[in-house]
């Protein structure tokens, strides 16, 4: 099973037993994605806190 | 003796201010604040000052009136309490970005929030003596400067003043910076094994200091990019500019000499031989110099305008003391005599 | 087994070639030359190879015929003796700049002298598989690549292929480089106390690799600048490009995916979180990857196109072995499996 | 294929284990745990592995049975749950200090607390093949080694085996170490601006690894001291030993050759000329070699016994894989072929 | 104003002397010699001095009489021409090792040749004010100090003075040093790609500075070892000493306080918390402090005595100026006020 | 006495006893300059070998 990343259009392989509301990361762009529906699987960007990652 | 207190004295800018003020002949350091470390000796965090002072950190709540209050706090702390600080210090020098922009709109655009005290913006003078010396002499409120902004502003100064820049073409400025720019608080990215030896695109686009360059030089078409490199102190701005009309080495010498004249902390570095042909940050650690220079590609009209400085000195604490000297009629260079080391 | 000899084996590129070839399952290293060190064990200068080989340096005068001769000599040595080398090696891979440019005029312009063997230029294929894979498969003569040129060429590749670059605006490329780029011979500038910790404008204008970028991508309006930083291996190209038409993140993902597809050594690094959002050279030491990525400033249409690599690997020896593999029908990645270290 | 899972896979030892296992021809990595990062791709924290695996971190709660479980957890986590782990892995290799000492008393003395599972101590073999190869071949439980302890143990091995040490005189061992020894978690002391460029006495006295040296070599009069230096990976042990009877260079060559014979990862480095006369850590990054050597002061009978290694390799993950190979009858060096880089 | 000339002014010690003398209120720098660079501006090699002086190098042949001649020449140059120099300078401070030992026999033993001017040895005072302040005040001839020797001598000073050392047991001193110790001349070993990031046993046995320690403290059973680390300036001596009788923390505090009393450049660093518990060289770059401290292992009676300093300052030029001040009745600290940087 | 640098137009202070043919460096741009005439003093760029100063 797979779905598309709304951020980068990457293909995301999904486990067969994925749950509604589960958070999965995009392997390409690292976005945190929320499963918002299951049939078909739709992913949306999960709300993120903007990290301060440097100087 | 001028009585000076430092608010946010346990940070890297605070520590550098303290080092400079302890060696300043006309200043007495009154208080140095840290909430976290109140009661501790200042040399517990600034180990270079061991043996130089017995001062201990005070909490802000015990701050007393003084002649000059220097603020070295994180973003927005100064702006939120400016009335309070203005009640304590006859004069204020704020090292943060809170009062650098004159235009509240620009502030909102670049900082993503409304300015907490917009009417105070016009009372502050931007603390870059190379542009605003006379205003600084006659104000009580000076804002600090962005370290990367200063490197770029001083790199471009000679070309802007001489009107050499073709403003239809983009000005691209790449700044290479050290780790002390991020301050004294550890985070995942500052962990030595991760940060050591990097050449890391830290802010390839969207850096807020862009606003200070636009304001200082009236340039619109300017694009900056910050890369972290292996270094603790220092910044080198490499600015790519296209000239209008054809320009040769002698034109540039004239432009640079004009810009550096009467500027005690600008040195022109443009040598035909030797190892040190262009400005370099490492020999500037601890010094207030900004070294400026250039390379010219006559075939394409590109000038690579360079400026090296110590982000904690000319890019922060040194600039603040330079302003303090101007505000109080002292010799501009007093307390800022250290010339930097070599080799280092 | 393919018999391979390395000419100029005591240098940094030579040593890296040797390390790779000793681990290559289809290759037997026949000879390794050094004039200066003839007779010495190769691990006297390449201490990492101690215990891995008992090879000793040969002088060039004792070179024997072999399947592949890889040249890792200073500028112009290969070109001057190309007939001689072609008599010894069935195939030749030359890591120097001697046979990189197709156009003898371009050579004269950038290298300031006539090419010593201009008729050989057309026989060589430029050793960048990402652009010339098919030609490399079917040639006997491959030129190496410039390390800085490769960092810039691969940084720009996705944008060029997708036609996104507004060529009326300058492309400005800043490359940050380590000290091994200069090879193994000490000079005043490489003295540790002088070179350590620098951010030194080494070639702010006029760098010869510009010619390789023009040739590879057909770009005219490209301007490069090289800055030495504290690092031994590695290069990061930071290329400022303005797009034609408006471009968004998804457009760029598409362009980068298209460029990286089927390229075993191109990895896209463009992460929304974590420490490693952009390509970085330090984790690539010893690996043949070129990591590519970008940052987009939607407001101005500026794309900062990034590429990190190890100058001795993808920028020299690794690229040479990749070409060797292609020329001989081996798996493209064989002998180049090392993935790099972290932390490092 | 052996199925192997790594517990504590997001740390520095865990990441190095993963790198090695992904390249190991007889191993399939089953699971890699991290509580903090469960669900994330392993390359989010180990960026060198991008493109090499699509594994994601599992929480420990979802661990499944496997052939070998390798534990890379902080001090005392392994000991507290050893029964649980023993139920999951047919074999266990624990990289922590929990099962290194055979004597529960020694554990209490050096770690200041009672061992949580003292009866397990005798089941574990200390994972230093140079001393315990045969026992490792025939056990299911192997403890990792202390990185500093290993540097000292291997430095002293030739002298101990040859009976050259005058045990009435103190053996003083100074280890210079890099920042990765402290693991992946940031703290105030690991902040780049503080940690960079240090020569910092980290454990001048009282280091716990002393116990491992006493246990391995039966030395009582041994005194160690750890100094942090500017380096990410690597350790150099400089051990000062006084010999009994007079000893010359040839005696030492004999002792070192005897100790290194049949040891695939011990290299003797003792050269009369060149830059690399003594063992040095920097060329060992990523490699499993321990380079050993010495200097002799004939006048005083002092031997300075040296050992350089990569703390994450021969000092941790590499040693673990070497043991895994021995335990399963594989070639001892398989998966550990990387020879290190030069220059670097 | 005292007129001072520097012979060998283009080297690292020469440059540091010049930096200090230009900032010294009672000194006028008369001449600075370099044969190689005669006629060039001094800032061509000492780029930190740009803007501070217009002095140019003189050849030695044009040296004029002056009050103080400071020699910063390679080994044996001073001794060979001492009569000539004594004719030029009222007073002489020689930074080399030529006049450090009082005993010509010791000189021959450690330097492997007869002293060229043995009768001059007794006229020189060893320039370590912490031991010979009064003699320095009343002499015209002062020898400089070895940088490693000084680090060890000052580390041991408190223990020697307090009579705490068990001299039947060896004193083992490990010094970690930066690259500037080797001076300004490039060689194969100082090539950045080779020297960078090393932990290299530079003189594990046989270092000549041993003689200065024996002479200063009358210790016979002392064993030193020098390791080069990644650093430009600085040295840390880690000295392992066994005490006679049982010694506790308070005894050591007393001994250290007694030794540091009245010594303006000795600071005791022995903190129970924070990052800077022990002496560290990096914060001392450019400063004349020697920071001293210790760690005690009560169980074994081992004291690890530590001293950090800047080899070019307290280890060479700073010590020389401190002597100059004493010789001429100036405040001992004048011209040496720089306190060092943090972070750095 | 002073003269102008032909490279950068900097002012170069000259010793009173300067000789014809003497080489002086420019304090600003580091150029090596040759004294080609004395009355008035004229300076010209001295021939230089292009150093290789780096990588
Ligand atoms: N670093 C540079 O290169 C540089 C250059 C130019 C300008 N600046 C600006 O200078 C300012 C200080 O920078 P820095 O690098 O010195 O930062 P820093 O090292 O993080 O120090 C911050 C200081 O602010 C105090 N502080 C933190 N949070 C506070 C709060 N909520 N209330 C009161 N005090 C608080 C800290 O004291 P505690 O001990 O109580 O935590 C510390 O003394 C910033 O605005 C920065 O943008 C920095
Ligand atoms: N370093 C890089 O990152 C890099 C990247 C891409 C391409 N390249 C190119 O690769 C080539 C080698 O670079 P490198 O960095 O390895 O240089 P290097 O370390 O200086 O090595 C040069 C080699 O050439 C030999 N050599 C020098 N002069 C010679 C002469 N006159 N005749 C015959 N042999 C001579 C030396 O051998 P002896 O022992 O006999 O002196 C040595 O083996 C250069 O053309 C360079 O432009 C380098
Ligand atoms: N570093 C070296 O040079 C070295 C050398 C020899 C031996 N060792 C030993 O190897 C072990 C690992 O060292 P390291 O340097 O890799 O440390 P590290 O980088 O700090 O990694 C620790 C690992 O343990 C996990 N962890 C932390 N606290 C945990 C808890 N309470 N329960 C479960 N998991 C936890 C972490 O995962 P999360 O993502 O869930 O936090 C992480 O994966 C240590 O025992 C160390 O002494 C290290
Ligand atoms: N570096 C340290 O940390 C340190 C510490 C303590 C003591 N010292 C001692 O201080 C002295 C200078 O050390 P350094 O590190 O400054 O060395 P350096 O950087 O190599 O400088 C040597 C100086 O001597 C001159 N010189 C070289 N050979 C000469 C010769 N044959 N005749 C006349 N002048 C000559 C050089 O001038 P040209 O320009 O003419 O070549 C240069 O000015 C040495 O004796 C050293 O042992 C050094
Ligand atoms: Zn995505
Ligand atoms: Zn000039």
């Amino acid at each position: 099973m797979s779905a598309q990343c709304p951020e980068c259009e990457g293909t995301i392989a999904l486990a067969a037993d994925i749950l509604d509301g589960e958070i999965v990361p995009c392997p390409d762009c690292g976005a945190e994605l929320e499963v918002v529906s299951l049939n078909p699987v739709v992913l949306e960007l999960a709300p993120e806190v903007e990290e301060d990652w440097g100087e | 003796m001028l009585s000076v207190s430092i608010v946010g004295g346990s940070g890297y800018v605070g520590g550098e201010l303290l080092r400079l003020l302890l060696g300043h002949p006309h200043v007495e350091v009154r208080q140095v604040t840290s909430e976290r470390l109140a009661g501790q000796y200042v040399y517990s965090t600034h180990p270079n000052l061991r043996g130089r002072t017995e001062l201990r950190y005070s909490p802000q709540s015990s701050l007393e009136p003084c002649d000059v209050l220097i603020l070295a706090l994180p973003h927005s702390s100064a702006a939120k309490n400016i009335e309070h600080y203005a009640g304590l210090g006859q004069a204020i020098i704020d090292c943060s970005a809170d009062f650098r922009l004159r235009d509240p709109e620009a502030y909102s655009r670049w900082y993503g929030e409304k300015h907490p005290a917009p009417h105070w913006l016009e009372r502050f003078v931007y603390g870059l003596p190379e542009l605003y010396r006379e205003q600084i002499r006659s104000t009580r409120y000076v804002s600090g400067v962005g370290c990367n902004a200063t490197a770029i502003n001083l790199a471009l100064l000679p070309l802007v003043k001489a009107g050499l820049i073709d403003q239809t073409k983009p000005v691209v400025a790449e700044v290479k910076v050290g780790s002390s720019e991020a301050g004294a608080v550890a985070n995942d990215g500052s962990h030595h094994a991760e940060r050591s030896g990097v050449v890391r695109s830290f802010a390839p686009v969207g850096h807020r200091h862009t606003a200070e360059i636009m304001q200082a030089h009236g340039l619109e078409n300017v694009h900056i990019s910050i890369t972290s490199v292996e270094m603790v102190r220092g910044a080198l701005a490499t600015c790519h500019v296209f000239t209008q009309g054809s320009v040769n080495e002698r034109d540039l010498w004239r432009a640079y000499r004009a810009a550096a004249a009467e500027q005690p902390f600008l040195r022109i570095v443009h040598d035909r031989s030797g190892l040190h042909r262009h400005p370099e940050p490492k020999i500037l650690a601890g010094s207030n110099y900004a070294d400026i220079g250039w390379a010219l590609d006559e075939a394409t009209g590109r000038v690579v305008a360079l400026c090296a400085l110590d982000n904690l000195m000319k890019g922060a604490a040194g600039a603040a003391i330079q302003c303090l000297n101007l505000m109080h009629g002292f010799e501009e260079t007093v307390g800022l005599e250290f010339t930097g080391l070599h080799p280092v």
Side-chain angles (χ1 to χ4, degrees), chain B residues 133-172:
Chain B
R133 182 170 286 106
E134 292 318 311
Q135 294 94 311
I136 293 166
R137 279 198 219 273
S138 54
T139 185
R140 287 165 53 205
Y141 301 115
V142 166
S143 84
V145 291
C147 44
N148 302 316
T150 301
I152 299 174
N153 275 331
L154 295 177
L156 296 177
L157 179 65
L159 304 175
V160 169
K161 277 188 77 167
L164 295 176
I165 300 179
D166 176 352
Q167 301 206 20
T168 68
K169 302 220 177 113
V171 172
V172 171

Side-chain angles (χ1 to χ4, degrees), chain B residues 49 65 92 127 137 167 201 210 257 260 270 311 323 332-333 337:
Chain B
L49 303 181
I92 289 180
R137 279 198 219 273
Q167 301 206 20
S201 300
T210 313
R257 284 205 179 95
H270 185 71
N311 56 298
C323 290
E332 190 167 344
T333 56
E337 294 88 355

Side-chain angles (χ1 to χ4, degrees), chain A residues 51-55, chain B residues 178 182 201-202 228:
Chain A
E51 271 171 273
D52 184 11
W53 71 291
E55 3 240 84
Chain B
S201 300
F202 156 62
S228 301

Side-chain angles (χ1 to χ4, degrees), chain B residues 56-115:
Chain B
R56 291 157 68 180
Y57 289 115
S58 310
Q60 286 204 37
S61 57
S62 68
L63 266 178
E64 291 158 21
C66 59
D67 295 329
V68 186
L69 200 61
I70 312 191
L71 310 176
L73 294 167
H75 175 57
S76 94
S77 309
K80 281 187 188 128
N81 300 298
I82 186 65
E83 299 286 352
H84 170 66
Y85 294 129
L88 288 167
Q90 279 296 310
I92 289 180
I93 302 175
D94 172 37
C95 295
S96 82
D98 292 7
F99 299 102
R100 292 185 198 154
L101 302 183
R102 292 293 71 75
D103 176 5
E105 288 308 306
Y107 185 91
S108 315
R109 196 159 57 252
W110 287 96
Y111 290 87
E113 54 185 359
K114 281 196 49 156
H115 195 282

